[in-house]
């Protein structure tokens, strides 16, 4: 029987080298074994017997003392003293006793006993006395069984005479039979002795195992095979335990900690939950900022509001520069981060786009800031993006200050603005609320100083503090791909200090800060809390809104970035809908839907996201717009190749294609469209979708005819003699047959004749002969309605 006890495991259990175990197996006649070979029960018994004989102790006391060397030494000295004492005593005893024979006469014996001895027997009887000391070694007693063969022969002969009628056999055969029986008895005796030795060693091993209980650690999830390895058990036994618990698993199945712990306890193992230390925990050491390390930091203010309500103009007035004129269509296309000084105090501003396509960018801006300036035009009032900005600010828990802009216009109505704010839960201070409403005019500069003073006051009340004496961390405001510098990211340092040369990780992007500039383009060596900077040196363009953090170990940072990239791919693959019986019908219907695939390239990451979301939002039930790639930087040949392979068009937003891309696009007939305003891109794609929509038709009435006569002509069919009472009838028009106001049929015209000639058209007031293609049940008085189906687009 195979007990699956490997040679290597046995060597480990008895604390012997595996080669020594293999040599011992060869000595007992077991050859061909390897370290990974399994031992059969008989082979294991032979091995244990051999090792027991080789390592046998003199007595039980020596075996017991083997565990305590000091006690063994003391016992050995005591035994030596006792042996020396016994030797002296024995020598003294031998002096008094003679080992030679002595002759004692009856007379002497009679004298000694006081009896009367016979005269004749005294000289003749002698008693010999021999004093010999005999030592018997009972440990190795060998019994010569062969000397009993003669007795067995006699018994066999007797048995032969008594049972002569049953069988005939020679004495030699009986002798052989009893010899074989004796041999079997000896083998059984020796075998029983070996099993006893094996059981004794097994008992000792079990006692040791009980004294040292197996301890294992199990993570939150573990495979069945790994669990069996940690338990030092066969996989089949572990699977059997799961089956007893009512769970069916294979070797590769993954089980949770609770199930694995229950099975481990069945094998008498002590279980501890394995603490998995992630790369983030090793890389981002938690740092607690003490109160003495915290210093005052500038507030970060986000300017939000509806499109074209004057957000950039207000920042323009604050910075005394003109940014709006340089933007396409006067619309802010990307997040801008600026820092200004007001009365000796610094304030950091984030300008977010107000167009509806930039919802995610507004949400990111609100999450990065301490205060939000909500710009509302006094002549427009509350608009959809105004409500959305209020929702973002509330969700982020940001304090709001309302700037009522365009107060210089004659149609300005600040009271209507306040009414709209109150309807959204924003109660102005003038009306008993806690939200300041500052009237300003960005064009004339009126109220700008009041707005800044209120921002400084709110920041002072909030007591904004940060620790500059730690590694920098914050958020990615914006990122783009520059042709000369590579990935360029605009960062907002929220805590700590970022230095040139620091290793930082932002999402899947990692790198060392090569250059660092402020919002005015000046080079910096370090940037403290609430400072917006533009850096280079990253491996790729990070996503806007990603958290960045400076780290110490660049190798771990790159490993974490690769891990995040792999997780992002898994999420992308998981987003694809798998076909199941439940969604099979919808998937089949979806395959019939037309699809417009687009490749989007933009100057900054935030704009690329906004264009992608806006384009995919205009999908309808018949045409689906799918952006297969959205990236930053100039349009390259790889983008053209992707568009060519996927039959897509390329939309560039504030970017241009290089010469190689232009040549590739011309050769492969890939359409490229460049835009500077997002409105134009959305409108053009919408128009392109209309060309892909399923055509729609409507009925156009041409005229009416009245049947005056019905003729049945062989080889022609039924011919209706009609008069055009209204409109006209054409050869390609369709006819609806109406009788007593009920439509009988719709058919096509097989022939239209004017007299005996074919006619293409018959006008009102004229007569004609009409033959229909299929319907023949024509009666006098029927009305033909002539019409045609016209395709149209909405």
């Amino acid at each position: 029987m195979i007990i699956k006890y490997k040679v290597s495991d046995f060597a480990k259990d008895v604390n012997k080298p595996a080669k020594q175990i293999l040599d011992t197996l060869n000595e007992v006649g077991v050859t061909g074994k390897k370290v990974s070979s399994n031992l059969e029960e008989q082979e294991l018994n032979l091995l244990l017997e051999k090792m027991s004989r080789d390592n046998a102790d003199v007595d039980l006391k020596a075996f017991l003392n083997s565990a305590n060397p000091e006690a063994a030494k003391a016992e050995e000295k005591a035994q030596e003293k006792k042996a020396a004492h016994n030797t002296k005593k024995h020598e003294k005893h031998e002096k008094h006793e003679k080992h030679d024979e002595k002759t004692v006469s009856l007379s002497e014996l009679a004298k000694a006993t006081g009896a009367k001895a016979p005269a004749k027997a005294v000289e003749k009887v002698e008693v010999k006395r021999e004093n010999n000391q005999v030592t018997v070694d009972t440990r190795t007693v060998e019994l010569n069984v062969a000397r009993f063969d003669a007795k067995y022969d006699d018994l066999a002969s007797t048995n032969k005479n008594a049972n002569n009628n049953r069988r005939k056999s020679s004495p030699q055969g009986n002798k052989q039979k009893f010899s074989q029986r004796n041999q079997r008895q000896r083998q059984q005796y020796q075998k029983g002795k070996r099993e006893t030795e094996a059981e004794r060693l097994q008992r000792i091993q079990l006692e040791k195992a009980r004294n040292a209980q197996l301890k294992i650690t199990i993570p939150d999830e573990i495979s069945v095979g790994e669990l069996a390895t940690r338990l030092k058990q066969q996989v089949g036994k572990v699977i059997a335990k799961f089956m007893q618990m009512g769970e069916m698993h294979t070797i590769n199945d993954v089980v949770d900690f609770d199930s694995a712990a229950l099975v481990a306890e069945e094998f008498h193992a002590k279980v501890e939950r394995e603490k998995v230390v992630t790369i983030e925990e090793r890389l981002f050491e938690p740092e607690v900022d003490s109160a003495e390390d915290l210093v005052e930091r500038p507030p970060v203010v986000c300017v939000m509001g509806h499109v074209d309500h004057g957000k950039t103009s207000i920042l323009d007035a604050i910075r005394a520069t003109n940014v709006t004129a340089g933007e396409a269509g006067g619309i802010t296309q990307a997040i801008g981060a600026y820092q200004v000084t007001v009365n000796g105090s610094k304030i950091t501003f984030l300008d977010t786009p107000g167009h509806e396509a930039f919802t995610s960018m507004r949400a990111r801006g609100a999450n990065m800031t301490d205060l939000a300036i909500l710009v509302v035009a006094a002549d427009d009032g509350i608009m959809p993006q105004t409500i959305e900005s209020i929702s973002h600010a509330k969700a982020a828990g940001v304090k709001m200050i309302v700037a009522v802009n365009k107060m210089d216009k004659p149609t300005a109505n600040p009271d209507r603005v306040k009414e709209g704010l109150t309807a959204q839960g924003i109660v102005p201070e003038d009306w008993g609320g806690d939200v300041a409403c500052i009237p300003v005019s960005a064009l004339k500069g009126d109220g700008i100083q009041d707005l800044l003073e209120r921002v400084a006051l709110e920041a002072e009340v909030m007591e904004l503090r940060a620790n500059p004496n730690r590694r920098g961390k914050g958020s990615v405001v914006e990122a783009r791909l520059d042709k000369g510098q590579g990935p360029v990211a605009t960062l907002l340092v929220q805590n700590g200090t970022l230095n040139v040369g620091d290793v930082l990780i932002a999402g899947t992007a990692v790198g060392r800060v090569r250059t660092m500039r402020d919002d005015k383009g000046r080079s910096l060596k370090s940037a403290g809390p609430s400072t917006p900077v533009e850096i280079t040196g990253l491996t790729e363009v990070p996503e806007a809104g990603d958290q960045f953090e400076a780290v110490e170990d660049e190798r771990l940072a790159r490993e974490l970035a690769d891990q995040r990239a792999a997780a992002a791919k898994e999420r992308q693959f998981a987003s694809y809908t798998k076909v199941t019986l439940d969604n099979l019908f919808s998937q089949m219907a979806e395959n019939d839907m037309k699809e417009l695939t687009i490749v989007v390239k933009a100057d900054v990451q935030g704009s690329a996201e906004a264009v992608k979301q806006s384009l995919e939002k205009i999908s309808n039930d018949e045409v689906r717009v799918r952006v297969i790639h959205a990236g930053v930087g100039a349009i390259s040949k790889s983008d053209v190749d992707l568009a060519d392979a996927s039959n897509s068009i390329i939309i560039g937003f504030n970017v241009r294609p290089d010469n190689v891309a232009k040549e590739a696009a011309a050769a492969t007939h890939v359409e490229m469209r460049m835009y500077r305003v997002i409105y134009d891109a959305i409108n053009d794609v919408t128009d392109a979708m209309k060309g892909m929509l399923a055509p729609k038709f409507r009925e156009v009435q041409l005229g009416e005819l009245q049947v005056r006569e019905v003729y049945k002509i062989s080889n022609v069919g039924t011919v209706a003699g009609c008069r055009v009472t209204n409109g006209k009838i054409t050869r390609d028009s369709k006819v609806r047959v109406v009788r007593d106001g009920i439509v009988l049929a719709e058919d096509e015209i097989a022939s239209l004749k004017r007299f005996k000639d074919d006619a293409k058209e018959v006008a009102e007031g004229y007569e004609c002969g009409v033959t229909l293609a299929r319907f023949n049940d024509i009666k006098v008085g029927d009305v033909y309605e002539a019409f045609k189906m016209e395709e149209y687009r909405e």
Side-chain angles (χ1 to χ4, degrees):
M1 181 181 68
I2 303 297
I3 60 175
K4 293 187 179 180
Y5 196 7
K6 291 185 178 180
V7 174
S8 58
D9 295 339
F10 180 82
K12 185 177 179 181
D13 292 339
V14 299
N15 198 18
K16 298 290 185 181
K19 187 176 184 304
Q20 182 178 347
I21 301 300
L22 294 175
D23 295 339
T24 306
L25 286 172
N26 292 330
E27 292 178 6
V28 298
V30 179
T31 59
K33 293 292 183 181
K34 298 180 181 179
V35 176
S36 59
S37 300
N38 292 324
L39 294 173
E40 297 183 1
E41 183 178 5
Q42 184 178 359
E43 296 170 349
L44 181 61
N45 291 335
L46 291 173
L47 182 61
L48 292 173
E49 183 181 7
K50 172 65 176 173
M51 296 182 66
S52 299
R53 287 200 305 268
D54 294 344
N55 299 292
D57 291 313
V58 178
D59 53 10
L60 180 61
K61 188 173 295 185
F63 173 74
L64 296 176
N65 289 334
S66 61
N68 193 346
E70 296 180 358
K73 291 181 180 179
E75 182 67 21
E76 185 179 355
K77 291 182 180 180
Q79 291 293 340
E80 290 177 357
K81 291 181 180 181
K82 185 175 181 180
H85 177 71
N86 291 337
T87 303
K88 292 180 181 180
K89 184 177 181 181
H90 183 65
E91 291 176 354
K92 184 177 181 182
H93 180 70
E94 285 183 345
K95 292 180 181 180
H96 295 283
E97 295 184 357
K98 302 292 184 179
H99 294 281
D100 56 338
E101 296 182 356
K102 292 185 180 180
T103 304
V104 183
S105 63
L106 288 177
S107 58
E108 294 175 349
L109 183 60
K111 290 180 181 180
T113 55
K116 186 177 181 180
K120 295 183 179 181
V122 173
E123 296 178 359
K124 295 179 181 181
V125 180
E126 293 182 352
V127 178
K128 294 185 178 180
R129 183 176 59 191
E130 183 175 348
N131 294 327
N132 291 331
Q133 184 175 0
V134 180
T135 304
V136 180
D137 188 1
T138 60
R139 293 177 298 174
T140 57
V141 178
E142 295 183 359
L143 181 63
N144 187 9
V145 185
R147 63 192 180 92
F148 293 101
D149 288 348
K151 181 176 180 180
Y152 289 144
D153 291 342
D154 296 339
L155 293 173
S157 299
T158 305
N159 190 42
K160 174 185 175 184
N161 295 330
N163 302 290
N164 190 31
N165 295 330
R166 285 188 299 173
R167 67 175 183 272
K168 294 182 180 180
S169 65
S170 62
Q172 183 66 25
N174 290 327
K175 179 177 180 181
Q176 183 179 2
K177 174 183 176 183
F178 282 106
S179 298
Q180 292 175 354
R181 182 184 299 174
N182 296 333
Q183 185 177 2
R184 285 198 302 270
Q185 291 177 353
R186 282 199 304 272
Q187 290 177 353
Q188 291 177 359
Y189 172 76
Q190 294 174 357
K191 182 178 179 180
K193 187 175 182 181
R194 284 198 300 270
E195 289 177 350
T196 303
E197 292 286 347
E199 291 173 357
R200 182 174 65 85
L201 184 58
Q202 186 178 5
R203 176 176 52 80
I204 295 174
Q205 294 296 334
L206 289 175
E207 290 178 356
K208 291 182 179 179
R210 280 195 296 269
N211 294 334
Q213 186 181 14
L214 179 64
K215 297 180 180 179
I216 64 170
T217 57
I218 299 177
D220 294 336
E221 291 182 347
I222 188 173
S223 65
V224 176
E226 177 64 21
L227 178 62
T229 302
R230 297 191 181 191
L231 289 173
K232 298 181 180 179
Q233 297 289 336
Q234 301 173 19
V235 179
K237 293 182 178 180
V238 176
I239 293 177
K241 288 293 184 183
F242 276 114
M243 293 175 64
Q244 293 175 5
M245 295 168 52
E247 298 182 13
M248 303 298 294
H249 293 293
T250 62
I251 186 173
N252 295 322
D253 286 353
V254 177
V255 296
D256 57 9
F257 171 80
D258 296 332
S259 300
L262 290 176
V263 171
E265 290 174 357
E266 289 291 327
F267 289 100
H268 308 289
K270 186 177 181 181
V271 180
E272 294 181 358
R273 186 184 288 269
E274 182 176 332
K275 296 180 180 178
V276 180
V277 181
T278 62
I279 299 180
E280 286 91 342
E281 293 175 350
R282 295 164 56 191
L283 195 61
F284 307 134
E285 298 179 359
E287 299 182 13
V288 180
D289 297 328
S290 58
E292 56 270 13
D293 293 334
L294 297 178
V295 298
E296 186 177 355
R297 66 171 178 85
V300 179
V301 182
C302 176
V303 183
M304 307 172 73
H306 190 72
V307 60
D308 203 25
H309 271 203
K311 300 178 301 301
T312 307
S313 299
I314 289 179
L315 280 177
D316 207 15
I318 294 173
R319 294 183 299 139
T321 58
N322 194 344
V323 175
T324 305
E327 293 185 351
I331 302 171
T332 307
Q333 304 288 354
I335 293 180
Y338 321 102
Q339 194 170 54
V340 299
T341 303
V342 179
N343 297 331
S345 300
K346 291 183 178 181
I347 301 176
T348 301
F349 286 94
L350 296 182
D351 184 13
T352 62
H355 185 259
E356 61 181 357
F358 295 89
T359 301
S360 59
M361 299 174 73
R362 279 193 296 276
R364 286 198 302 270
N367 290 327
M368 296 178 191
T369 56
D370 307 307
L371 287 169
I373 295 179
L374 182 64
V375 179
V376 184
D379 57 342
D380 265 357
I382 304 299
M383 301 298 286
Q385 275 70 59
T386 310
I387 299 174
E388 185 184 281
S389 299
I390 292 173
S391 300
H392 289 317
K394 287 182 177 180
V398 176
K399 177 74 174 178
M400 278 188 292
I401 298 175
V402 178
V404 184
N405 194 21
K406 301 184 180 181
M407 289 295 294
D408 56 305
K409 287 192 173 183
T411 57
N413 188 354
D415 291 334
R416 188 180 67 167
V417 173
K418 294 179 182 180
E419 289 177 1
L421 292 172
T422 305
Q424 299 299 323
I426 307 297
V427 182
E429 288 181 340
D430 299 345
W431 293 11
D434 57 350
V435 177
C437 291
I438 311 297
V440 297
S441 173
L443 184 63
K444 295 183 178 181
D446 298 339
I448 298 296
Q449 189 64 29
D450 297 336
L451 179 63
L452 293 176
E453 290 177 358
R454 188 55 187 257
V455 170
L457 177 61
E458 293 287 352
E460 184 179 353
V461 173
M462 296 173 68
E463 295 183 352
L464 302 173
R465 297 180 179 275
N467 180 15
N469 302 319
R470 56 171 294 173
R471 288 194 292 266
K473 62 184 300 185
S475 301
V476 178
V477 178
E478 193 49 84
R480 70 180 191 276
L481 184 63
D482 187 83
K483 189 173 182 179
Q485 302 179 84
V488 179
T490 302
L491 308 180
L492 176 64
V493 183
Q494 295 174 306
N495 199 7
T497 300
L498 184 64
N499 302 299
V500 174
D502 286 351
V503 177
L504 60 84
I505 179 172
T508 59
V510 66
R512 192 179 295 272
V513 179
R514 188 166 64 240
T515 62
M516 184 161 54
R517 294 183 294 270
D518 62 4
D519 60 296
K520 297 179 178 61
R522 296 174 298 193
S523 297
L524 300 176
K525 295 295 182 182
S526 62
S530 301
T531 303
V533 293
E534 189 177 73
I535 67 160
T536 61
L538 297 177
T539 55
E540 61 181 80
V541 179
E543 295 285 339
D546 284 343
Q547 297 292 314
F548 80 86
E549 187 163 351
V551 297
E552 186 176 358
D553 194 334
E554 185 175 1
R555 183 187 62 82
L556 276 180
R558 295 185 182 277
E559 185 177 348
L560 176 59
D562 295 340
Q563 191 179 87
R564 289 176 175 176
K569 285 185 179 180
E570 290 182 1
R571 288 194 298 269
Q572 182 180 3
F573 293 150
S575 63
Y576 293 125
T577 305
K578 304 294 189 300
V579 177
T580 63
L581 292 178
D582 296 331
N583 63 7
L584 180 60
F585 182 81
S586 62
Q587 288 288 313
M588 292 173 62
E590 190 176 87
N591 290 335
D592 294 334
M593 184 176 62
K594 295 184 177 67
E595 184 178 67
L596 175 63
T597 54
I598 298 176
V599 176
V600 174
K601 293 300 288 290
D603 55 343
V604 293
Q605 187 69 35
S607 298
E609 293 177 4
V611 173
K612 177 182 177 181
Q613 293 174 3
S614 299
L615 293 177
E616 291 181 344
K617 193 182 297 183
I618 62 178
S619 299
N620 53 38
D621 295 337
E622 296 183 0
V623 179
R624 178 177 63 184
V625 178
R626 185 164 68 95
V627 178
I628 61 174
H629 175 65
V632 294
I635 299 174
S636 62
K637 184 179 181 298
S638 61
D639 300 322
V640 177
D641 294 339
L642 176 61
D644 180 33
S646 58
N647 194 22
S648 307
I649 65 173
I650 299 177
I651 290 181
F653 193 73
N654 285 337
V655 294
R656 303 292 300 172
D658 54 27
N659 293 330
V660 179
K662 288 181 180 179
E663 295 175 359
T668 56
H669 303 287
V670 172
E671 183 180 9
M672 295 188 298
R673 291 179 176 268
M674 311 303 157
Y675 302 95
R676 296 197 64 201
V677 178
I678 195 170
Y679 294 119
D680 298 336
I682 295 174
N683 293 335
D684 285 358
V685 173
T686 303
D687 294 339
M689 285 177 57
K690 289 181 179 179
M692 298 182 65
L693 293 174
K696 295 184 179 182
F697 297 91
R698 59 188 172 189
E699 182 180 301
V700 178
Q701 293 291 333
L702 297 178
E704 286 186 2
L705 294 81
Q706 188 175 17
V707 178
R708 298 287 180 92
E709 294 289 340
V710 177
Y711 307 95
K712 294 187 182 293
I713 303 175
S714 60
N715 299 327
V716 175
T718 303
V719 178
C722 304
R723 180 181 179 86
V724 180
T725 59
N726 185 21
K728 64 180 180 178
I729 184 172
T730 60
R731 174 68 179 78
D732 59 349
S733 63
K734 292 185 178 183
V735 173
R736 182 179 296 112
V737 182
V738 180
R739 183 181 300 167
D740 298 330
I742 298 175
V743 178
L744 298 180
E746 286 186 3
D747 204 347
E748 295 178 352
I749 296 176
S751 67
L752 177 64
K753 291 182 179 291
R754 172 83 174 138
F755 299 109
K756 293 183 179 180
D757 300 328
D758 291 333
K760 293 183 178 180
E761 180 180 310
V762 178
E764 182 180 349
Y766 290 93
E767 294 181 350
C768 60
V770 179
T771 303
L772 300 181
R774 294 180 298 276
F775 190 75
N776 294 319
D777 187 15
I778 308 298
K779 293 184 180 180
V780 176
D782 289 347
V783 177
Y784 284 179
E785 293 181 356
F787 66 95
K788 67 178 181 180
M789 301 303 297
E790 183 181 63
E791 182 180 342
Y792 73 99
R793 300 186 186 278
E794 293 180 347

